Amino acid sequence: MTPEFLSEGPALLMTHTQRILVIADAHFGAESGFSRKGVHIASNSTDRLRRISACIDETDPDLLLFLGDLKHSVPMMSRQECAELPGILDAIRNQIPFRLIPGNHDGGIERFLQPEELLPKTGVIIDGTCYVHGHMHLPPASAGHLIVCGHHHPVVSLYDEVGCSLRAQPAYLLAEVDEASAGFAPHTTGRGTRILFMPAFFEYAGGVDVRKIPVSGMGPVSRCFDTGSAEVFLSDGTYIDRLEALITDART
């Protein structure tokens, strides 16, 4: 499979025998959640949907796959989500078939989905790649595959020539899975298991610096990859550095 990084997403196009457009953590309805915490911003759902549509138009995929947290509010559904999600999902399905691996923010979303659009929350293997949201243990069937994972909202802080921190940028983190830590039984595929952490599609998501993901406590997945093998990329695929080099950088 060949990944293509779409910086305008951030999104990922996976190409093998199918063309699969992958989006993680869109968090529709988050603005009402911010409002309840005293941060009042207008809904940006229309522009977020426009960006999804633009990614579809650019890549002409066979399928759009959401890696969880399509909606935001937990544990209940907000009024904003009830008002906006039906139209958003209709607009997407009128453009392309889509599937959702539900994340920890997606409780109740099944009421807006057709039965075939909802995949198992434990993850799924499609066209040779395993896809998970990332809030649960990795499925045993993912051993020996590339795993594409959401949930962690990875970003990387960059520095100028005098060491001043610039705005954190959405980032991808690619690493080998520590299969013993993941609880995988020995397998005979001859391939190691790799994991690619995807940045959030939601433009106000913020994120967890890649240096902090191994100690973030965000879930079992964050604790079962080999930091020594990990590499960091910007959302357009630009290579930044090895994770260990970033962790040991004196400016951090």
Side-chain angles (χ1 to χ4, degrees):
M1 67 292 300
T2 303
E4 178 182 343
F5 300 95
L6 306 175
S7 59
E8 59 272 27
L12 190 68
L13 180 68
M14 297 295 295
T15 304
H16 186 43
T17 65
Q18 302 178 51
R19 294 170 61 81
I20 300 175
L21 177 63
V22 188
I23 288 173
D25 301 286
H27 285 274
F28 282 104
E31 294 88 351
S32 62
F34 291 167
S35 181
R36 289 193 295 273
K37 295 181 179 180
V39 179
H40 302 288
I41 56 177
S43 172
N44 204 34
S45 295
T46 299
D47 184 67
R48 206 167 310 134
L49 177 59
R50 179 197 59 76
R51 287 167 46 220
I52 292 174
S53 180
C55 289
I56 295 169
D57 287 340
E58 178 181 345
T59 58
D60 189 27
D62 301 306
L63 178 72
L64 170 59
L65 179 62
F66 289 107
L67 291 189
D69 289 358
L70 181 58
K71 60 175 281 291
H72 181 76
S73 296
V74 289
M76 305 298 291
M77 189 85 67
S78 70
R79 291 183 179 179
Q80 179 187 358
E81 289 161 352
C82 289
E84 293 182 350
L85 276 173
I88 289 168
L89 296 175
D90 278 343
I92 294 171
R93 66 171 60 96
N94 286 338
Q95 191 172 5
I96 189 174
F98 76 88
R99 300 290 185 268
L100 168 68
I101 298 171
N104 52 303
H105 282 254
D106 287 320
I109 200 171
E110 61 273 6
R111 74 182 71 173
F112 301 123
L113 298 177
Q114 298 171 5
E116 70 275 10
E117 292 171 345
L118 188 64
L119 296 175
K121 64 182 179 181
T122 51
V124 66
I125 295 175
I126 302 176
D127 202 23
T129 298
C130 181
Y131 299 95
V132 299
H133 175 58
H135 64 308
M136 303 176 67
H137 288 278
L138 293 174
S142 65
H145 293 272
L146 172 64
I147 303 166
V148 181
C149 176
H151 180 60
H152 297 80
H153 300 196
V155 298
V156 61
S157 296
L158 303 177
Y159 298 85
D160 64 17
E161 61 275 9
V162 296
C164 294
S165 177
L166 307 177
R167 182 177 181 272
Q169 300 292 314
Y172 289 87
L173 178 63
L174 176 65
E176 295 177 6
V177 172
D178 183 327
E179 297 187 346
S181 297
F184 291 166
H187 60 90
T188 58
T189 63
R191 301 188 305 267
T193 307
R194 296 175 300 152
I195 188 163
L196 180 64
F197 293 89
M198 283 193 68
F201 191 85
F202 178 41
E203 61 279 3
Y204 301 134
V208 178
D209 192 280
V210 291
R211 303 163 178 85
K212 304 298 184 182
I213 287 178
V215 294
S216 66
M218 292 190 70
V221 177
S222 65
R223 301 190 296 270
C224 67
F225 71 92
D226 174 30
T227 57
S229 68
E231 297 178 301
V232 179
F233 304 81
L234 292 182
S235 59
D236 63 357
T238 300
Y239 178 73
I240 295 299
D241 208 336
R242 295 180 300 107
L243 179 61
E244 278 195 338
L246 295 175
I247 290 174
T248 57
D249 191 317
R251 294 168 300 190
T252 65

